[in-house]
Amino acid sequence: EESGMTVTRTETRRTRGPAPRWQRGAVLLALATAAAHAQQAPRSYTFNAAQERLTATSSGLTAARAGVDASRSSADAVSGLNLPILSIDAQVFRYQKTIEISLAAGRSLVEQAINGFLASSPVGQAVAPIVSGPVNNALSRIPDSVSGTITDNIWRPTLTLLWPLYTGGMSSATQDAAQAQTRQAEAELSAFSDTLGMQLVGAYFGQQLAAQVVATSRQNLDRFAQHYDNALKMERQGVLAKAQRLQVEVARNAAERQLLRAQNEYETAQAVLTRLLKESGSVQPMTPLFAQSQPLEPVQAFIDSGRDSSPTLTRLAALRDVSRSGVKAAQSLALPKVYGFGSYNFNSKNAVLPDPDWIVGVGLHYTLFSNVDRKSAEGAARAREQQADAAMEQAGSDIETLIVRSYQGVETSRKQFMLLGTNIVAAEENVRVHTLGFREGQATATELIDAQVALSVAQTQRAAAAYEYDLALAQLLAASGRMNDYAQHIARADQRMSAP
């Protein structure tokens, strides 16, 4: 039998053919399902990891960084405005020049010299009757002028130097404006980064809040389902009126609807965070909602930090510096310009007649009349400077107000969070007491429902207080220019919501 079994197994292996089509399809479907589940598995992120991911993938940050790079390059481009400009030119051309030389003056000089010689010397007087006639005839044949045309091909390589010695302040104003625009771009990058950080706080901890609400709603539904089961048993035993059982049933149905709403809100919050981090699948936050049991440092410390480090004030200060540079540039329009210049011809032996071999000098340029009203231009620049000063002053006041409001929001949320922790303990005990009382007929359905709803509300409010604390803290740090300290506050937090 053992031998026969072996033969049978061997024959079975030999006669085994391709798997049926339905089996192959089932295997492929199972593999596709497993791959889909693997793709849909949420990716876990701590807050710090989510911040790094957002920094690496944000198109807005990429654009802001490019703006900073462009501003820095522009500032580098004008950093040498006070340096000389050295250029080389090479020209190949053919020219024709007509030259006319006057001979009248030379002829007159020759005639005067000959006549003076004949009149002043004995020899001249002796030969004067003989040579005066031929000489005068020869002189009369000399024309008043002669002319000629020169045609040639010229290769003219020249080295030219132009050095702005004094520009009336235009060069320094341009350089100062470029540096200020770089500071403006850097401040805008910092402000955008802070705004993005607040968006991350809202989305990241918003999903954590939604998860807490889902957990609370599910727990609330489970408890109401248990209360309903107890009420149904008590009704069948004749110790509970149908009306009270219906009250519990209505409360259970309301808890079920609340759970559905909470789940929908959680899916929305999850989608927001997923898109913010540009993930293909869902995201699971790992850092819980947090708070501090102790208050923050005094608000004045945040106000002082905001005055020194606020990106908004830094940007407005840069704009003010740009406008001041504009005033200097407008004033330079009414001042003369002094420059040095020089040129050297490398092919001086084959140069055009008027061209020098080399030339150096100093020039002065002054615009007597311009088609731009220089006084109006300066007035406009001063008005922009006043506008920037006023905007900076107003922004400083607004930021102080925002810091104070955010600080109060942090403190209010912190106190609410701590008080709600005590309330939840009391609410849980109240539910326990009313549950026992309801079973023993000492408590009504209304009292039980009120106690259960109060517990659910307290739990939800505590999670909301933690979320408001986290969000208000981000607003406070961003307004005071300390958004980079947010991770440190998370690490120091001594109150954390347990994972749902």
Side-chain angles (χ1 to χ4, degrees):
E1 292 179 359
E2 184 177 354
S3 176
M5 290 175 61
T6 303
V7 172
T8 302
R9 287 197 298 270
T10 303
E11 290 177 352
T12 301
R13 286 196 297 269
R14 290 177 178 176
T15 57
R16 182 178 298 168
R21 182 176 299 175
W22 67 269
Q23 289 184 357
R24 296 198 301 271
V27 171
L28 293 175
L29 179 60
L31 292 175
T33 304
H37 283 300
Q39 292 178 354
Q40 294 174 359
R43 183 168 183 178
S44 299
Y45 274 99
T46 63
F47 182 81
N48 290 343
Q51 197 170 34
E52 292 176 359
R53 168 75 179 181
L54 183 60
T55 301
T57 60
S58 172
S59 300
L61 274 180
T62 302
R65 292 191 194 101
V68 172
D69 292 340
S71 297
R72 289 174 179 171
S73 297
S74 297
D76 292 340
V78 298
S79 61
L81 288 180
N82 295 322
L83 298 177
I85 301 172
L86 188 64
S87 60
I88 186 169
D89 294 288
Q91 298 174 332
V92 177
F93 58 91
R94 180 176 177 81
Y95 80 98
Q96 177 176 299
K97 176 67 176 178
T98 300
I99 301 176
E100 184 174 351
I101 302 175
S102 176
L103 301 179
R107 184 184 59 190
S108 177
L109 291 175
V110 172
E111 185 178 2
Q112 292 177 4
I114 292 175
N115 292 333
F117 171 75
L118 294 176
S120 60
S121 64
V123 176
Q125 293 176 358
V127 298
I130 300 172
V131 301
S132 61
V135 169
N136 290 332
N137 291 333
L139 292 175
S140 64
R141 292 174 184 164
I142 298 175
D144 293 337
S145 64
V146 293
S147 62
T149 300
I150 300 175
T151 302
D152 198 1
N153 297 322
I154 294 296
W155 155 251
R156 183 168 62 184
T158 56
L159 183 68
T160 303
L161 174 71
L162 181 63
W163 195 338
L165 302 177
Y166 175 72
T167 61
M170 176 64 76
S171 297
S172 60
T174 303
Q175 292 170 339
D176 293 343
Q179 293 291 339
Q181 288 172 349
T182 299
R183 294 193 297 273
Q184 177 186 349
E186 292 172 346
E188 290 174 352
L189 172 61
S190 179
F192 186 84
S193 178
D194 289 350
T195 301
L196 203 61
M198 288 191 293
Q199 290 180 359
L200 178 61
V201 170
Y204 188 93
F205 292 109
Q207 183 173 333
Q208 290 288 56
L209 172 61
Q212 291 286 343
V213 174
V214 168
T216 299
S217 300
R218 183 177 289 111
Q219 184 181 27
N220 188 48
L221 176 59
D222 292 342
R223 289 177 175 176
F224 268 119
Q226 185 178 2
H227 296 328
Y228 177 72
D229 290 340
N230 293 334
L232 193 60
K233 294 176 182 178
M234 294 171 64
E235 182 187 11
R236 291 172 181 172
Q237 295 172 359
V239 296
L240 184 68
K242 180 179 180 180
Q244 293 198 47
R245 191 267 298 170
L246 290 175
Q247 284 182 331
V248 178
E249 183 178 3
V250 170
R252 184 204 63 180
N253 295 339
E256 187 175 2
R257 293 193 299 272
Q258 174 60 33
L259 176 59
L260 290 175
R261 286 194 296 269
Q263 289 174 337
N264 289 335
E265 291 175 357
Y266 175 78
E267 292 175 359
T268 301
Q270 191 176 48
V272 170
L273 181 59
T274 299
R275 283 167 174 75
L276 184 62
L277 298 182
K278 294 185 178 180
E279 281 286 359
S280 57
S282 59
V283 174
Q284 177 60 52
M286 299 300 294
T287 303
L289 293 164
F290 68 93
Q292 276 279 11
S293 60
Q294 299 300 320
L296 299 173
E297 56 187 306
V299 65
Q300 188 61 42
F302 292 96
I303 293 176
D304 294 340
S305 178
R307 290 171 180 169
D308 297 334
S309 306
S310 170
T312 300
L313 291 181
T314 303
R315 182 180 65 84
L316 290 175
L319 285 174
R320 179 195 59 193
D321 294 341
V322 171
S323 62
R324 288 178 177 175
S325 298
V327 173
K328 294 180 181 179
Q331 292 174 339
S332 71
L333 296 176
L335 298 175
K337 310 297 186 293
V338 180
Y339 58 93
F341 63 93
S343 178
Y344 181 80
N345 189 347
F346 291 100
N347 191 20
S348 59
K349 294 181 179 180
N350 190 26
V352 180
L353 291 178
D355 285 352
D357 295 345
W358 56 268
I359 184 173
V360 294
V362 177
L364 173 68
H365 172 81
Y366 182 75
T367 303
L368 297 176
F369 176 78
S370 174
N371 55 0
V372 176
D373 191 335
R374 288 173 282 192
K375 290 185 178 180
S376 297
E378 182 179 351
R382 292 192 179 279
R384 283 191 289 269
E385 181 183 10
Q386 294 175 358
Q387 181 185 16
D389 287 336
M392 189 173 177
E393 182 178 356
Q394 182 62 46
S397 177
D398 293 343
I399 287 175
E400 289 187 12
T401 302
L402 177 60
I403 289 175
V404 172
R405 184 183 297 114
S406 300
Y407 186 90
Q408 294 299 329
V410 171
E411 280 300 293
T412 300
S413 301
R414 183 188 66 84
K415 293 176 181 178
Q416 288 180 348
F417 180 83
M418 299 304 295
L419 290 174
L420 284 167
T422 304
N423 291 351
I424 288 175
V425 174
E428 288 176 342
E429 179 63 18
N430 191 36
V431 169
R432 189 187 68 82
V433 170
H434 279 86
T435 300
L436 294 176
F438 181 73
R439 291 176 181 175
E440 296 175 359
Q442 301 297 321
T444 63
T446 301
E447 293 173 336
L448 176 62
I449 292 171
D450 290 344
Q452 183 60 52
V453 170
L455 173 60
S456 178
V457 170
Q459 291 173 333
T460 302
Q461 287 179 342
R462 189 166 189 261
Y467 173 74
E468 291 172 358
Y469 178 93
D470 300 340
L471 193 59
L473 177 62
Q475 293 172 345
L476 174 63
L477 296 178
S480 57
R482 298 165 59 175
M483 191 63 188
N484 292 334
D485 296 342
Y486 195 83
Q488 298 178 9
H489 285 269
I490 295 178
R492 292 197 302 263
D494 57 359
Q495 301 291 321
R496 300 177 187 273
M497 298 286 295
S498 58

